[in-house]
Amino acid sequence: MRTIFRPYIQTMLSLASFAGLIACGALEPEQPATKRVIVIQGVCSSSEIFEQPGHWTTSVKSILANRFDLIDLPTGDPDDQIIEFGYSASGWDQDYLPSETLRSIPDTSRALLDIYSAYPNSEFFVLGHSLGGVIALDGLARYSDIDNEMLEQTSRVITVSSPVQGLTEANANVARISIELLACRQFPGANSEPSAVWSDIQDSGQSISLIHDTDWNGNRVVNFANKRDRVVNWQTAILESHFSVSCFDTGRQGFLSANHDTLLADPEIAIELMDVLINDEGSVRSPCSHRN
């Protein structure tokens, strides 16, 4: 009889020991990953813009908090679920000035690795507007194998009016002079040494080349473009060979409107984009056609 019941006794003792370990906290059930959205602004932005009433960042953060129940806390808070990406060389959670967005993209995008490291056991969703989209893709491609598998932690990325195709050298020079003057409020000078960011986003630049050479299979990336965008041509903002693409035609917004942030500033469109980002849902307002 002892021989017959011995295996059962050993099993019961093992189960009792396992239960005791759980009760004592030695073995804890694995916690589900926390959803977090990283919001990356474009060139010549600043940390102050995140809080400006009427700016697209304010409305998008409100949509994420109210529609998707994400918690928006001060930058760097361990419980923050709507993370504001910072361009400062002192750290992603520090205030930054427009001029700091002109640093080289690899130097800037490393902050993405720091964010992922600061929030372990997280499921990330990344929104990049304009240069921010290039920063997001460069960071994921460049630093995924350092310290952690960033791509595996990333559920979706959407780029909005981002020059993912890259700019020609001539267009990059025009953008350098006009954008730095109008948006950054600094005069670069036609013969001055270009800021590093402008060579990085050229079609032959290191960041664009890296994005094009990376295998994105298994990662959900969507490029959104506005056919009325006067800053980044819509054909430059989509990379159909690598990603899903979706184009909008927002119509004429006025002579002085650049239409560069319209897709995020318009609440109805912004909700649609956030549905794609968080739930992988949403309709395509207008297909991308190179005939238009």
Side-chain angles (χ1 to χ4, degrees):
M1 293 294 291
R2 292 179 181 176
T3 303
I4 294 175
F5 286 103
R6 184 175 298 164
Y8 297 100
I9 294 174
Q10 292 175 339
T11 300
M12 294 301 293
L13 289 173
S14 298
L15 290 173
S17 299
F18 184 76
L21 288 171
I22 293 178
C24 293
L27 292 176
E28 296 182 357
E30 184 176 352
Q31 297 297 316
T34 301
K35 288 185 176 181
R36 302 186 196 276
V37 175
I38 302 174
V39 180
I40 311 178
Q41 297 190 74
V43 68
C44 294
S45 62
S46 70
S47 52
E48 293 181 355
I49 290 178
F50 274 114
E51 307 304 330
Q52 286 184 359
H55 192 265
W56 69 261
T57 52
T58 304
S59 59
V60 163
K61 290 198 299 178
S62 178
I63 291 170
L64 291 171
N66 297 326
R67 187 179 180 90
F68 300 98
D69 298 323
L70 298 181
I71 301 172
D72 186 21
L73 296 173
T75 300
D77 190 289
D79 295 320
D80 190 18
Q81 291 182 273
I82 306 175
I83 299 171
E84 302 165 2
F85 180 97
Y87 282 83
S88 174
S90 300
W92 65 269
D93 56 351
Q94 302 299 307
D95 291 341
Y96 68 95
L97 299 172
S99 59
E100 294 183 89
T101 66
L102 302 175
R103 297 189 302 130
S104 76
I105 290 177
D107 287 347
T108 299
S109 69
R110 188 178 179 86
L112 205 61
L113 171 62
D114 297 333
I115 292 175
Y116 277 59
S117 300
Y119 294 96
N121 194 33
S122 296
E123 177 187 11
F124 287 101
F125 303 81
V126 186
L127 161 63
H129 173 248
S130 194
L131 176 64
V134 179
I135 295 288
L137 296 175
D138 179 279
L140 290 172
R142 190 178 302 276
Y143 299 114
S144 180
D145 292 330
I146 300 178
D147 294 338
N148 61 7
E149 292 292 337
M150 295 168 65
L151 284 172
E152 292 185 2
Q153 289 181 266
T154 307
S155 286
R156 272 173 296 284
V157 179
I158 66 171
T159 68
V160 182
S161 300
S162 300
V164 293
Q165 282 279 4
L167 303 179
T168 64
E169 182 178 1
N171 286 340
N173 285 331
V174 171
R176 173 177 71 93
I177 295 174
S178 59
I179 292 177
E180 287 190 24
L181 176 61
L182 297 176
C184 286
R185 299 285 193 265
Q186 62 181 42
F187 184 69
N191 298 319
S192 64
E193 186 69 21
S195 301
V197 67
W198 301 116
S199 59
D200 291 343
I201 62 172
Q202 290 183 27
D203 48 20
S204 59
Q206 60 173 325
S207 292
I208 298 300
S209 297
L210 175 63
I211 291 170
H212 291 193
D213 292 341
T214 297
D215 182 5
W216 297 97
N217 288 336
N219 293 98
R220 176 68 161 145
V221 180
V222 184
N223 302 144
F224 287 97
N226 183 4
K227 291 188 175 183
R228 301 288 180 168
D229 194 331
R230 295 175 179 172
V231 177
V232 175
N233 181 276
W234 69 270
Q235 295 182 3
T236 305
I238 59 175
L239 191 59
E240 293 176 282
S241 59
H242 291 61
F243 309 126
S244 299
V245 301
S246 180
C247 292
F248 290 71
D249 189 331
T250 58
R252 299 186 182 278
Q253 303 291 320
F255 178 75
L256 296 178
S257 176
N259 294 326
H260 189 47
D261 62 1
T262 305
L263 300 187
L264 293 168
D266 184 298
E268 181 181 346
I269 299 176
I271 288 173
E272 186 173 344
L273 267 58
M274 295 308 103
D275 277 334
V276 173
L277 178 63
I278 304 298
N279 296 327
D280 202 12
E281 298 175 351
S283 61
V284 176
R285 182 70 61 88
S286 175
C288 297
S289 172
H290 291 271
R291 293 176 296 181
N292 294 344

